[in-house]
Amino acid sequence: MADTGHENIPSLEQDAYHHRQIEGDRTDVEIVTRALELEMNVVLKGPPGVGKSFLTRYICAMTNRPLYRVTLSETTYKEDLLGHLHLVSSDGGDTVTEWIDGPLTRAVRAGGVLLLDEINAADANTVAALNAVMEQRATRSLTIPQTGEQITPHEEFRVVATSNPGYQGTYELNDAFEDRFRHVKLSYLPQSVEADLIFDRTDLDRGKEAQIAELVSFASRLREAYMDGELSTPVTTRELVRIARFMEDDFMPLQEAARSELVARVDEYDESLVRTLIDKRL
């Protein structure tokens, strides 16, 4: 898309994201970009820390799409998406009400991507606000109940949602709503790629490649434990990068850096197991 200079277009480098193959010769970037071109909304599914939100930011940056992001929870209401009436002082000194667009309304007007993080953490009433605006282009619309305004969404408006299936505190989305999305499943990067990413995002000396390979293998073991229900806290690539940052300039050895990051990060019920695994495997 042409660069309009819109203030909500993310700024990222071309090599900021590691593309991963997920279907044949096609990568996650290609599939999601194609879906958006075909006027589809997309839901990215996968465990925490696989880069679902970052993938969306990257695609918006590379395709010049404005991005509006909302992290959903059980305390998110329709008004948080649509907007609200706000009391302001007029030039004459009187107090008047003024409508302030929320992220959904702004994305609809601008033709941007609305990124809904953790869509399965929101209740059904909140999600219902998206039904009419996610219809086929000829029939979709957005109505602001407080003002009566009816908006025809910009032709480039899209919704991208992220979902952590089975994650504690989430809801099951109904089939009719899920059918409005093109589903894309993401998993953690291959260990060799994740190790390269850690070096790309830190100033760590390449002489520590063997230690980073150990760290990534260790993270894979923790992720298996999380998926099997042994751990209640996932381990993300961001945490591995932070561990590596504390290994820079020999500030901390691997085991100490991992312990200082992960033990403080995990749920208190996981501390003993994580300490034991660090001592045995690192």
Side-chain angles (χ1 to χ4, degrees), residues 230-233 259 262-279:
E230 297 176 53
L231 285 177
S232 59
T233 312
R259 189 181 296 112
L262 296 178
V263 172
R265 166 73 173 85
V266 299
D267 187 283
E268 61 180 311
Y269 301 106
D270 295 338
E271 283 189 19
S272 178
L273 177 57
V274 171
R275 285 183 184 275
T276 299
L277 290 173
I278 289 174
D279 291 341

Side-chain angles (χ1 to χ4, degrees), residues 207-281:
K208 290 187 167 57
E209 285 187 355
Q211 293 181 55
I212 294 302
E214 282 184 60
L215 175 62
V216 172
S217 177
F218 174 70
S220 180
R221 170 66 184 91
L222 291 183
R223 288 162 181 165
E224 289 174 5
Y226 170 73
M227 298 302 289
D228 292 340
E230 297 176 53
L231 285 177
S232 59
T233 312
V235 177
T236 70
T237 301
R238 290 186 295 272
E239 288 161 346
L240 302 188
V241 169
R242 287 197 291 266
I243 291 169
R245 294 297 304 273
F246 272 78
M247 294 170 60
E248 293 172 357
D249 303 320
D250 294 321
F251 182 76
M252 280 184 176
L254 169 59
Q255 190 179 77
E256 186 177 326
R259 189 181 296 112
S260 69
E261 169 70 29
L262 296 178
V263 172
R265 166 73 173 85
V266 299
D267 187 283
E268 61 180 311
Y269 301 106
D270 295 338
E271 283 189 19
S272 178
L273 177 57
V274 171
R275 285 183 184 275
T276 299
L277 290 173
I278 289 174
D279 291 341
K280 285 184 176 180
R281 293 175 175 266

Side-chain angles (χ1 to χ4, degrees), residues 3-278:
D3 185 359
T4 61
H6 195 285
E7 63 181 1
N8 281 78
I9 296 174
S11 178
L12 291 173
E13 298 296 329
Q14 180 71 42
D15 59 355
Y17 183 81
H18 285 251
H19 300 221
R20 68 193 95 186
Q21 284 189 322
I22 56 175
E23 295 293 341
D25 294 330
R26 297 300 182 181
T27 68
D28 50 358
V29 173
E30 291 175 318
I31 288 174
V32 175
T33 302
R34 178 65 171 169
L36 296 178
E37 289 175 349
L38 294 174
E39 302 183 14
M40 298 178 184
N41 302 299
V42 178
V43 60
L44 303 173
K45 293 186 171 182
V50 297
K52 300 185 293 291
S53 298
F54 192 77
L55 168 60
T56 308
R57 287 184 58 217
Y58 175 76
I59 289 175
C60 287
M62 295 301 106
T63 58
N64 297 317
R65 293 179 180 272
L67 177 64
Y68 301 83
R69 182 177 180 179
V70 182
T71 299
L72 300 176
S73 71
E74 60 184 6
T75 60
T76 304
Y77 300 102
K78 288 190 287 187
E79 292 75 15
D80 296 317
L81 300 177
L82 291 171
H84 60 276
L85 290 168
H86 183 66
L87 291 175
V88 297
S89 297
S90 66
D91 293 338
D94 296 328
T95 300
V96 297
T97 57
E98 180 179 273
W99 173 257
I100 305 296
D101 284 345
L104 168 59
T105 309
R106 284 184 279 144
V108 163
R109 294 189 197 275
V113 169
L114 177 68
L115 172 58
L116 299 173
D117 271 324
E118 302 180 32
I119 193 166
N120 52 335
D123 67 27
N125 289 330
T126 302
V127 170
L130 300 164
N131 285 336
V133 82
M134 291 178 61
E135 296 285 355
Q136 296 296 322
R137 190 200 291 188
T139 58
R140 64 183 184 171
S141 64
L142 179 66
T143 300
I144 309 297
Q146 293 90 332
T147 65
E149 181 183 8
Q150 189 169 38
I151 306 168
T152 299
H154 189 289
E155 62 180 15
E156 293 296 338
F157 168 71
R158 306 284 187 272
V159 175
V160 175
T162 71
S163 171
N164 302 323
Y167 197 54
Q168 186 176 7
T170 60
Y171 300 90
E172 289 292 327
L173 299 177
N174 67 60
D175 291 341
F177 186 69
E178 287 217 53
D179 194 48
R180 299 172 189 267
F181 291 98
R182 167 61 158 91
H183 293 240
V184 178
K185 188 174 182 179
L186 301 179
S187 56
Y188 292 107
L189 292 168
Q191 291 187 27
S192 61
V193 176
E194 189 167 37
D196 286 339
L197 183 150
I198 290 170
F199 281 106
D200 288 346
R201 296 187 182 176
T202 67
D203 294 324
L204 196 64
D205 188 283
R206 278 281 178 177
K208 290 187 167 57
E209 285 187 355
Q211 293 181 55
I212 294 302
E214 282 184 60
L215 175 62
V216 172
S217 177
F218 174 70
S220 180
R221 170 66 184 91
L222 291 183
R223 288 162 181 165
E224 289 174 5
Y226 170 73
M227 298 302 289
D228 292 340
E230 297 176 53
L231 285 177
S232 59
T233 312
V235 177
T236 70
T237 301
R238 290 186 295 272
E239 288 161 346
L240 302 188
V241 169
R242 287 197 291 266
I243 291 169
R245 294 297 304 273
F246 272 78
M247 294 170 60
E248 293 172 357
D249 303 320
D250 294 321
F251 182 76
M252 280 184 176
L254 169 59
Q255 190 179 77
E256 186 177 326
R259 189 181 296 112
S260 69
E261 169 70 29
L262 296 178
V263 172
R265 166 73 173 85
V266 299
D267 187 283
E268 61 180 311
Y269 301 106
D270 295 338
E271 283 189 19
S272 178
L273 177 57
V274 171
R275 285 183 184 275
T276 299
L277 290 173
I278 289 174

